[in-house]
Structure formats: C-alpha cells, structure tokens
Amino acid sequence: MTVYIYRGGIPIRFLNKYIRRYWKLYFVTFIFLSAEAVCDLLQPTIMSKIIDQGVGTSDINYVLRMGGFMLLVTGVGAAMAVIRNIISSIVSQRFGRDLRGDLYKKIQNFSFDNVNEFQDATLITRLTNDVNQVQNFAHGMMRIFIKAPILCIGSLVMAALINPSMTWILVGVIPIIVFLIFLNMKISYPFFIQMQKALDGLNARMREYLAGIRVVKAFNRFDYEVDRFTEASKDLTQISIKGMRIMAVFRPGITLVVNLGIILVLWLGGYKVSKGEMQVGQIVAFTNYMTQILFSLMMLSRVFTMFIRAKASASRIGDVFAAENTLQREEEKGPRQAKEETTYDQNIKGHIAFRNVGFSYGGEGEGVLHDISFACKPGELLGIIGSTGAGKSSLVNLIPRFYDVTEGAVEVDHVDVRDYNLKVLREAIGIVPQKSLLFTGTIFDNIRWGREDATDKEVEKAAAIAGAHEFISTFPKGYETQLGQGGVNLSGGQKQRISIARAIIKNPKILIMDDSTSAVDLVTEAKIRRELQKYMKNTTTILIAQRITSVMNADQIMVLDNGKIAGLGTHEELRNNCDIYKDILYSQLGKEGFAHVIETI
Ligand code: CTP
Ligand code: MG
C-alpha cells in the first residue's frame, strides 16, 4: 500500500491555538524551572567554600552552617521541581487531549476522498503516536527548556568567578559540544521521519491482517501474512537501528570531549594548587560546573531530539489539519439553499434526477460513470441491475454527496445536491450500504443509531419492516443482545436486515439499498419488499440488486453496464428491448425457475 507522502514544510500553525491556551501555565513552569536552576548553580560554590574554608581550616561550625545552607538550597530546589512536575504533567496531558480531540473531529469531517487519500492506518498513527510525540516535546520543554540554558550560562559565569584563568578550557570545549549536537540533529532528522513512516507501514499490515484474520485462516495463508508482517517489522527495525547508531556515536563522543576538558582542568588545577594559586575546593567546584554544563547541553540535545521527532510528527498532524475537505470547499462558496434551520420533511420530497452525469474517482482516469441521465418521482421505486464493477455503488454514492460528480449534475427536488446544506441533504437520505457495518453495542442501539430519538416501539416497527424482528425475538436477550465489533456474532443476512432497519427508522425521503438483501433468502426478501412497499410508500427507493426478481416490480429498472445506461424502463419494456436485460433474465430464470412463484408468496 502507498503510505501518504510526507510533504516537508507543511505549516505547523495549528499549534498556535494550544500555545495561546496554555502559555500562562507554561510561563509559571518556566519561573519554577529558573528557580531550580539557580539552586543547582549555587551548590558547587557552596561546596567549594565548605572544602576550602571549613574542611581546609578544620572549622566545624562553618562546615555545619554551610552544610545546613546547602541542605536548604537543595530542599528548595526539590520542592520547586515537584510543583513544576505536577503542573507540567497536567498541562502536557491536557494539551495531548485537546490535540487528539481536534484531530478526531477534523477526521470526522473528512470527505470520502480525504479518507482515501490518507488511509486508515496512517490516520491511526497520526492520532496516537504522532500526538504522543508532540505531547512529549511539550512536556520536555517544561522540564528542561529554560533550565538548560540557565544552567549552561550560569555554570560558565560561576566557573569564571571562581577562576577566570581556567575559563578558556570551557570556552574551548563548549563550541565543540554544540557542534557535535548540531551535527547529530542534522544527520538523524531524516531517520526519524522514515521511522514514523515505517511505523505507519507496520500498523497498516497489522490492521489489514486483523481485519481479515478469518480469511487468512480459511486460506491457510499464515506464512504469507507472517512474511509480510516480518518485512514491515524489519523495515522499522532497520531504520530504527540506523537512527540509534548515529546516537550511539554522538552521545559517547560528547562525553569524551567533556571528560577531556575535566582532565585538563584537573591537570592544570593540580599545577596551580601546587603553586598556591588555587584551592582544592575551587577545582572540585570547577569540575562540578563543567559536568553541569555537560548535563545541560545533553538535556538540550535531548530536547532537540524530541523537537526533531515532534516536528516530524507535527508536520504529519499538520497535513491532516491542512487537508481540505473537497465537499466543504463547495459549501463555502455560499449555498443557494442553506436549509440548516428547517427540517427535511418540510422540504425534500424525494425527487431525484441525474443530468448527464460523469464521474471518476479522484477526478482522474477514464471514469466510472458516463453520461448518466434519469429521473425518479417522489415515492417511486428504481431498481438498478448490472454486473459487478458496473458502477452501481458509485452511482448511488453521488446522491448523498459521498463524492461529487465530475461532469453534469445530480439533483434532488430539482436542486443541485452541491447547493444543499450537507446535513439537510443527508438527513433526508437513508442508506443501507453494500457492506453492512454495525457498531459495538446492543441491537437496539444499532437500530436507533439511525435516529437518536426513536422510541422502543419505533425500533421494533423498523425491525419488523426490515424482517429482523422475528430473529431478534428468538435471541434470549432480544433487542438487548450485545453485538461484537462489526456485528461479528450475527449472520450475514441478519446483519443486512439490521442495517435496513437502521436506515428506515430515519423515515427517509430517499432510501438507498445497495445490494442489501443479497444474503437474505428469497422468501424473506420478498417479504421485506412487500413491507417496504406498504410502509415506505412516500419514500423514493433505489434498490441495487443482483437478482432480477428483486427489482422486477420496480417502477423503473436501470441496467448499468460499464458505467453506461444500457436500458431504462419497466420489466416488460426491458424484456422486449434490452439485450443485456434479456440475458440476465434468462440466465437467472434458468437457475431460479421458481422465481415467479416466489413473487406470489
Ligand atoms: N472504484 C474505484 N474506487 C473506489 C470504488 C470503486 O476506483 N473507491 C472503481 C472500481 O474499480 C470499479 C468501478 O469503480 O471498476 C465501479 O465500482 P462500483 O460502483 O463499486 O461497482 P458496483 O457496480 O457497485 O459493483 P458491485 O456489484 O461489485 O458492488
Ligand atoms: Mg457495489
């Protein structure tokens, strides 16, 4: 599968919102951090005083006094750290929560084109791992950001105060370390991006495997799947190892440079002490400041690594935020009829018309539909029949604007669907998708999902029309039966009937049934059809079917072939005029010679 390509330099402006929201608390943590840094900075100096003036002169009172002071400073520093930690954890967790929430909302608003563009797996990685990376960075900033520079510069100043003549060692060492850190960042940045991509790949594999685990078992294709998984896993391992290898060289390299500096201090210091120019305590303090500088630079490099990862992740999140909803854009043009405040049943009557419609996925290629024109009056039943891949699902998907036409226009009640408020348009349409998709929860919840305020009675009525009431009643828990993910504990036909119930409970003006009774036996199907005709008289229904018996009684039947209308008319008309229809009819009636009997049940 193709993983969504990282486009460098996508603005991460989306972060501004959270910065505005949290900068005050951020600022508070910075004050605490600064106080912490000052406490850390004081310690080596106090220690050098204890060594030189207390221990050196055997003044036990001085040692105790300064020791007490040192304890106090450490205590204050620790208290600051605790408070700051509490605040920073809260802020970073809230930030993560907000970002995840906003991202989730954004994805909810995606058009089908957007979802196709990004693919589920990368969206999951972006929602989880990428958000975590950015959140970690936000947390890291509050732990380290201000403290490291204060500690670094402060140590330099304090060391210079102790002995200016040795400060040049520091001045020499620091630029080397800074250079090494910079180099490290520059080299490892591309690896982090690749790592994130490899993780995407792995997630995609896992998801596909888990979704298709039954098929994999049925076909005994474990080895094949394991190989594919291993490959994706190997990709991630290799790229991670490469990234880590760079770290493995740089980290010890930096420590080495600092240790060389310390040796230089000890060597030179020892010489100065022997000449009486310096005291032992000062050398101890000096090396302490030196390690503090190393520590702070290491912290900075950690922040930078986090920054690199976070930047890669933030760009990927930014891509999602920046993705324009193709449909939304149309809406912003200024809808002719923004019917948000009015309800559909006052407005939409269910008239449907296609005018020379052409359509292709992503607006490219040859096209899936060509020059489709037809019209349905309110309450009519249109049957669509045609071989697999003919474009039946694509055609009906244009009505609720899951996709927009590339040519021509789709009209509902003589108004272009692109001029409707999406919510109003979709409110008027009930859809039973080709692949039944149920949610975790009870059967009752799943049916009522179609209309939140439906009563128990209405749910039962809808189930009865859809031919589902009978089998639901045989379950020990009835409507309260818990469904697994995607309704795994139901048969194919049972799932289909529940999704039909979910669509008709909306009492839609337009009902689209995409091959919705394919898994239901003929007797039950005929029954459902009769019920629908009885109760959904005012609903314009589009019924896609494989079996001719399912559409035979329709007001109009459309024969779709290769994206074109090969025939449009009643059963009688098509039987006489349309060759493809005749072929289908004879081939099916041959097999299902009893079909006409079924019709009369
Ligand atoms: N197609 C596509 N991208 C999609 C969905 C479909 O490119 N997201 C293409 C398919 O490859 C197919 C054509 O669009 O060639 C028509 O697909 P569809 O409308 O789904 O065909 P149906 O007539 O609904 O086929 P079936 O009976 O199998 O459901
Ligand atoms: Mg289809």
Side-chain angles (χ1 to χ4, degrees), residues 18 22 25-26 29 84-100 131-143 306:
Y18 309 101
Y22 290 116
L25 280 172
Y26 245 87
T29 62
R84 189 255 311 148
N85 255 332
I86 294 173
I87 301 176
S88 63
S89 303
I90 293 175
V91 172
S92 62
Q93 289 304 326
R94 284 195 188 153
F95 163 66
R97 177 199 62 194
D98 293 356
L99 182 56
R100 249 193 317 272
V131 170
N132 280 350
Q133 299 289 359
V134 179
Q135 183 183 334
N136 279 348
F137 174 65
H139 194 210
M141 287 261 287
M142 285 184 278
R143 273 171 27 214
M306 273 195 240

Side-chain angles (χ1 to χ4, degrees), residues 415-464:
V415 174
D416 194 318
V417 285
R418 282 167 294 190
D419 290 331
Y420 275 98
N421 178 299
L422 257 192
K423 221 172 132 195
V424 173
L425 176 71
R426 289 187 182 163
E427 201 64 33
I429 302 174
I431 295 175
V432 189
Q434 185 161 24
K435 192 163 172 264
S436 335
L437 207 148
L438 302 177
F439 294 93
T440 316
T442 62
I443 291 182
F444 184 81
D445 290 339
N446 265 286
I447 297 179
R448 210 175 55 168
W449 202 84
R451 185 159 58 87
E452 270 171 82
D453 57 355
T455 61
D456 294 10
K457 275 242 148 54
E458 287 170 320
V459 169
E460 257 178 52
K461 178 85 186 294

Side-chain angles (χ1 to χ4, degrees), residues 244-395:
M244 294 301 159
R245 212 179 275 156
I246 294 168
M247 300 277 231
V249 174
F250 277 100
R251 283 269 165 82
I254 293 169
T255 321
L256 183 72
V257 173
V258 172
N259 281 338
L260 285 177
I262 288 177
I263 290 172
L264 215 59
V265 169
L266 289 177
W267 179 73
L268 207 72
Y271 176 72
K272 287 194 180 214
V273 170
S274 72
K275 274 177 61 186
E277 283 173 19
M278 244 182 122
Q279 285 179 300
V280 181
Q282 288 180 332
I283 296 181
V284 173
F286 207 91
T287 51
N288 260 339
Y289 281 125
M290 191 130 182
T291 37
Q292 268 191 359
I293 291 174
L294 166 74
F295 180 61
S296 63
L297 287 176
M298 284 292 215
M299 284 200 304
L300 271 182
S301 86
R302 271 234 325 267
V303 175
F304 279 127
T305 332
M306 273 195 240
F307 172 73
I308 290 168
R309 293 186 137 198
K311 190 174 162 232
S313 289
S315 297
R316 290 158 45 87
I317 296 171
D319 276 346
V320 177
F321 278 119
E324 271 181 76
N325 184 333
T326 39
L327 300 178
Q328 209 106 47
R329 210 165 34 203
E330 288 289 329
E331 209 162 90
E332 278 162 12
K333 273 187 195 162
R336 276 208 300 261
Q337 306 204 345
K339 297 180 183 171
E340 181 93 72
E341 62 289 346
T342 50
T343 55
Y344 62 91
D345 41 332
Q346 293 161 354
N347 287 297
I348 296 181
K349 301 218 158 35
H351 192 284
I352 302 170
F354 274 54
R355 300 199 187 286
N356 307 97
V357 167
F359 173 68
S360 67
Y361 284 96
E364 299 153 357
E366 265 209 9
V368 175
L369 297 173
H370 309 276
D371 200 23
I372 304 282
S373 294
F374 69 90
C376 291
K377 289 194 209 69
E380 260 188 4
L381 173 65
L382 169 74
I384 302 183
I385 201 156
S387 57
T388 150
K392 304 182 293 293
S393 301
S394 309
L395 187 147

